Amino acid sequence: MKFEKIAAPKGVSEYAPPDSAAFEWVRQSLIDPAKLAGYQLIELPVFEDTTLFSRGVGESTDVVSKEMYTFEDRGGRSITLRPEGTAGVMRSVIENSLDRGQLPVKVWYSGAFFRAERPQAGRYRQFYQVGVEAIGLDDPAIDAEVIAIADRGFKKIGLKNYRLEITSLGDAKSRAAHRVDLLKFISTLTLDEATAARAAINPLRLFDDKRDEMKQAMEKAPLLMDYLSPESESHFKQVLAYLAALKVEYVLNPRMVRGLDYYTGTTFEFVHSDLGAQSGIGGGGRYDGLMETLGGQNLSGIGFGLGVDRALLAAKAEGLIAKSAFSSDLFLIPLGDNAKGAALSISAQLCELGIVTEIAFGDRALKGAMKAADKSGSRYVIVLGEAELASGQVEIKRMSDGATSSVKISDLSGFAFDK
RNA sequence: GUGGGCGUAGCUCAGCUGGUAGAGCACUCGGUUGUGGUCCGAGAUGUCGCGGGUUCGAGCCCCGUCGUUCACCCCA
């Protein structure tokens, strides 16, 4: 009887050994700066009430209108696998009344997100993000801190070929004034059907068109940056000043467009140059009305989401991922059933001391076990047979040069495995 | 949702103008009894993605289908 194999669902990313070590390292590198800045973990469900996203992220966005994994649960509720992180954080902050305590609320998260898109390089249906949110304060210094945290994460990985693009989408007043002129400008262009439809949903989208003729046509379009209200402008200038003080390099991109409707004010994106079409490795911004829209207080916030998968691809592209990172301290090769029992208890003791200890299970030939020890990258090997059990004395072999020395089993915990 | 490339052993691939499958790596065992990395020898592994068609004969040609990949769209 032979069963058919089952493949992973289309477009998901997964990280099995030995590559998983690099993934883990990248993810942790992105998380560490947030923790060091006093942000605390928020662990949220991967599925939420569909309304959270349709109302929070915006009905008109691509993400909501055609990329969500939405289904009905057994109670007839409409459930959606989270396509992004901020809305869920807001929901939880409101639900747990975190916004009634010390402000800002500073949290970080890490986990899987889902979008039903056509997969391609760097774009998956299940992907991983690390994000932070700072909620409840308008201070431009927080904008700068949040951006700097993301930047430190990428630096920690060692990435160099990326840039931080930044702009301000202004407040409601700024955008209203700009919109009038932008629509007027767009009405002078001749657009194909699809483009006209996009312009109707969000005229800013036209700034993002990749076709040369559209880029040219949009060159004279009025820029939102020139319509910033005095408050928005001074806030943005402050943010830039703080970034300069932090020595975080940035380039202004007044034509930046983001796909989520809730962004206002400071908005940014990290773009990597070695990645192909999906070059954004992180992005975020301020969101003034989101919390209120979701039934909470009228508090602003700022945050980002960083793509772990893409950061890993970027690190690979820059040659920052070493081959086999895994290694253990000690490899135990037991010969016979008695020895296996002894190996298990030796391993248990050493593992408790933080010494990475593996055992060659199964009754394989000694040569095969030695090969396995070699492959595992273990620094030391001990063969455990009847003689050793009887004498309580083992030969410990250093794999780098083959040197052996004699040690009492009872003294193993004091052995210097790091040499 | 739209368009292009590709689908041969676990992996990377070869397979000439159609004649019923190969290499390297990896894996297992062995090269005198219990010590790896090099070397040598032996071995296992494929419904050539799937279905149909053309042909005496198809991995190679045609059609369909599925998968995968890259790009558009959009985004992390």
Side-chain angles (χ1 to χ4, degrees):
Chain A
M1 180 76 203
K2 190 167 181 189
F3 292 99
E4 262 183 57
K5 289 180 185 171
I6 298 166
K10 191 186 186 74
V12 299
S13 66
E14 56 185 2
Y15 301 95
D19 301 333
S20 51
F23 176 81
E24 187 183 19
W25 171 70
V26 166
R27 175 167 58 187
Q28 200 54 49
S29 299
L30 295 175
I31 290 171
D32 286 343
K35 293 174 90 163
L36 289 170
Y39 289 66
Q40 292 179 276
L41 172 66
I42 185 164
E43 190 70 47
L44 297 172
V46 296
F47 60 89
E48 297 269 6
D49 187 318
T50 300
T51 313
L52 174 65
F53 303 114
S54 54
R55 205 201 296 163
V57 177
E59 204 80 67
S60 74
T61 60
D62 277 22
V63 168
V64 170
S65 65
K66 51 188 203 196
E67 295 171 3
M68 293 206 301
Y69 277 103
T70 298
F71 59 92
E72 196 172 278
D73 74 5
R74 294 186 183 215
R77 291 167 283 256
S78 180
I79 296 294
T80 293
L81 299 183
R82 60 183 183 186
E84 61 95 52
T86 305
V89 171
M90 283 297 149
R91 192 228 80 219
S92 177
V93 164
I94 296 166
E95 193 165 343
N96 295 303
S97 302
L98 298 184
D99 55 325
R100 304 288 169 177
Q102 271 287 308
L103 297 178
V105 176
K106 300 196 300 179
V107 292
W108 67 269
Y109 60 83
S110 160
F113 294 85
F114 309 84
R115 290 184 199 170
E117 304 177 273
R118 195 82 167 257
Q120 69 184 78
R123 189 172 74 184
Y124 309 105
R125 292 185 168 182
Q126 172 172 334
F127 56 98
Y128 296 87
Q129 271 187 243
V130 166
V132 316
E133 309 290 348
I135 301 150
L137 223 52
D138 282 329
D139 192 335
I142 288 225
D143 298 32
E145 175 179 84
V146 165
I147 293 169
I149 287 170
D151 191 56
R152 271 179 240 147
F154 293 134
K155 292 242 163 69
K156 183 154 186 184
I157 294 166
L159 294 178
K160 289 198 166 60
N161 304 343
Y162 71 93
R163 62 183 182 278
L164 163 62
E165 298 189 353
I166 188 166
T167 190
S168 173
L169 298 180
D171 50 23
K173 262 188 301 183
S174 318
R175 282 197 304 283
H178 171 252
R179 190 184 166 89
V180 172
D181 284 0
L182 179 61
L183 286 173
K184 206 181 292 174
F185 173 83
I186 289 174
S187 69
T188 68
L189 304 175
T190 44
L191 303 176
D192 60 88
E193 206 176 317
T195 311
R198 281 199 290 144
I201 292 166
N202 181 355
L204 289 173
R205 289 274 159 75
L206 297 197
F207 281 113
D208 205 28
D209 203 303
K210 287 181 185 167
R211 293 169 297 182
D212 284 339
E213 62 270 28
M214 274 305 295
K215 279 186 187 163
Q216 267 172 22
M218 290 301 288
E219 222 148 79
K220 296 197 204 78
L223 297 175
L224 182 43
M225 278 253 250
D226 298 325
Y227 289 75
L228 294 185
S229 65
E231 307 84 67
S232 288
E233 189 176 2
S234 82
H235 181 101
F236 188 53
K237 285 203 164 136
Q238 269 298 314
V239 173
L240 297 185
Y242 286 130
L243 285 178
L246 279 166
K247 298 200 163 50
V248 174
E249 286 179 38
Y250 60 84
V251 291
L252 290 177
N253 179 1
R255 290 153 193 278
M256 187 198 301
V257 181
R258 307 237 63 224
L260 312 179
D261 276 354
Y262 52 64
Y263 286 117
T264 59
T266 309
T267 305
F268 56 95
E269 233 169 58
F270 289 87
V271 182
H272 198 273
S273 54
D274 306 345
L275 283 188
Q278 310 305 321
S279 56
I281 53 176
R286 188 163 273 286
Y287 36 86
D288 285 340
L290 181 57
M291 184 178 265
E292 194 173 23
T293 303
L294 295 176
Q297 306 184 71
N298 182 16
L299 290 179
S300 178
I302 181 163
F304 62 66
L306 310 180
V308 182
D309 313 85
R310 287 187 187 175
L312 175 57
L313 288 173
K316 279 184 184 157
E318 292 199 38
L320 302 170
I321 303 298
K323 273 277 184 278
S324 87
F326 185 79
S327 71
S328 57
D329 297 313
L330 175 64
F331 203 92
L332 288 166
I333 301 176
L335 303 174
D337 290 340
N338 289 337
K340 262 189 237 176
L344 282 167
S345 59
I346 291 171
S347 169
Q349 280 171 35
L350 295 179
C351 286
E352 211 158 301
L353 297 171
I355 296 161
V356 182
T357 309
E358 293 184 81
I359 301 171
F361 292 108
D363 299 299
R364 53 193 320 195
L366 181 58
K367 177 164 176 164
M370 283 303 294
K371 267 190 160 174
D374 192 38
K375 293 266 157 54
S376 80
S378 282
R379 273 185 277 276
Y380 289 91
V381 169
I382 291 174
V383 174
L384 212 55
E386 292 302 331
E388 285 80 2
L389 290 183
S391 66
Q393 192 89 6
V394 295
E395 288 291 306
I396 183 160
K397 177 170 183 174
R398 185 163 60 199
M399 293 299 272
S400 56
D401 59 2
T404 62
S405 49
S406 193
V407 186
K408 272 193 182 155
I409 293 176
S410 54
D411 291 343
L412 272 175
S413 55
F415 189 82
F417 285 98
D418 52 340
K419 276 195 231 155

